[in-house]
Amino acid sequence: MRHVAIIGSGPAGFYSAEALQKLYGDEIRVDLIDRLPVPYGLIRSGVAPDHQSIKAVSKRYEKTALSPNLRFLGHVSVGDDVSIEELKQLYDAVMLATGAPHDRPLDIPGSTLPGVVGSAAFVGWYNGHPDFAALDPPLGVAAAAVIGNGNVALDVARILSKTRAEFAGSDIACHALDALDHSAIRAVHLLGRRGPHQIAMTPKELGELGHLEAAAPRVDLEDFPPEADDALLEPGIRKSVTHLRSFAALPQDKAKTIDFDFFAAPVRVEGEGKVERLVVERTRLDDQLRSVGTGETYAIDCGLVVTCIGYQTPPIAGVPYEHGRGRFANADGVIGDGLYAVGWARRGPTGTIGTNRPDGFEVADKIAAACPPGSSGGKAGGAGLDALLAERGVHPVAFSDWQRIEAAETARAREGSPREKFASVDDMIAALGRP
Ligand code: NAP
């Protein structure tokens, strides 16, 4: 028997568990540990609440979780309740599938003013993540600036612009739905420090902006290279650019606007005790397609700035870390000495949910090479962890417990919504009848 602990129950954790089950069959026991009492990581609290079809992948993870050789241990904080070193003693392999939950900092003057919010916090807030439920972003303002030209920036701009009715069928947290319903924001500025050909937005998500009930996207065709150059782009990005160009022909008769400000790099946030404006510098591309400042600046009056400029993995004491890339230092997923990284913790915050599947399978192969199926490492595995946690008064949330939490969330959903998430850990635990 081999024993593997996976830390983090998002897509990377679940695909890795699935891969280990395929490689080892009955000869493996996998413990999937999560800090929260609820599984699925970014599927639950990162994927936009109005993209329910993407969240359906959790049904596949559920199947993995219900297999007899996998245990979910929620509400166990590695680093507090048990250390990495202890896990390494207990298991043949420890996989860090901890994602990249921290925002990359926007290092400009004024970026710590109230009203500047990172996308991890903002997305977590509208998705009911317990860490961010109390965020209370300033929405009683006329305009917001969203920095970044990736899919997260698109999500944030769309969520800020939708009407209450457009959230029907979503599982947006009630506190966010009510706050957004009363939002005074009428103008969203989406800032890209480079141009339309350099966006990191996928076509389907970009196309959605053209069909909003009360908001219209706006582009300035002056920002675009000659249309013939679109043919040189990769098919996906070409399709996105086609959407962008089509926005120029949309009627501008809606109450809200989403302006694409290209070649606009933020240089400072200004305001008396809170955000009042964002100063940006016009940029141009150099011959390596990098943005370079032109020295010309302008100001965008806004009371909310959401930075959507990528994420990083929080370091763990004693685990080698690559600061420049915001992830664990690893060679193809191997950190060393029985320790592995998968998903965003391994490669940084790139790719889609599906990218984590081959990633998990690749790292599982590395584990199988080091701990061949059919052999034993003589480790205590889950029984050892259970004893340690019991000694420390830590009571993990099992998968069957999560199913009870899930049933309670479904039962209290508003009409048409699949669930109303508990937005605090205490409420999740209380739903289990535990103190
Ligand atoms: P991303 O795709 O890496 O985009 C980050 C954006 O931030 C880029 O436009 C980048 O511009 C810009 N940026 C970085 N540093 C900046 C700075 N200092 N000032 C101004 N702009 C800056 O990251 P993301 O949007 O956070 O998405 C993360 C991953 O999740 C991506 O793989 C994404 O596709 C995925 N995701 C997918 C979906 C979906 O499929 N529906 C939804 C959400 C997220 P440069 O290009 O100039 O560096």
Side-chain angles (χ1 to χ4, degrees), residues 42 46-48 51 54 104-108 119 147-155 158 191-194 198-202 205 208 264-266 289 291 308-311 344 349-353:
L42 278 190
V47 170
H51 284 169
I54 300 180
R104 281 186 53 212
L106 179 70
D107 270 334
I108 59 172
S119 57
I147 302 174
N149 267 183
N151 279 326
V152 172
L154 262 187
D155 280 349
R158 188 182 68 255
L191 273 82
R193 61 181 171 181
R194 299 192 289 157
Q198 285 74 43
I199 56 170
M201 299 165 169
T202 42
E205 285 68 21
E208 275 179 83
L289 299 180
S291 80
C308 307
I309 59 172
Y311 299 112
W344 283 7
T350 59
T352 61
I353 293 158

Side-chain angles (χ1 to χ4, degrees), residues 385-432:
L385 179 63
D386 289 352
L388 204 67
L389 293 179
E391 211 175 89
R392 294 173 184 171
V394 178
H395 305 288
V397 167
F399 199 76
S400 55
D401 296 327
W402 146 246
Q403 289 177 308
R404 285 166 58 210
I405 296 175
E406 187 180 32
E409 289 186 338
T410 307
R412 68 192 212 121
R414 60 185 175 271
E415 205 187 325
S417 171
R419 64 189 69 79
E420 183 60 50
K421 291 177 206 157
F422 293 113
S424 86
V425 168
D426 284 352
D427 288 347
M428 293 170 185
I429 299 299
L432 296 174

Side-chain angles (χ1 to χ4, degrees), residues 316-341:
I316 296 178
V319 179
Y321 190 78
E322 258 183 80
H323 281 277
R325 304 178 78 167
R327 62 179 197 189
F328 295 117
N330 70 91
D332 297 330
V334 181
I335 299 176
D337 195 20
L339 193 59
Y340 301 82

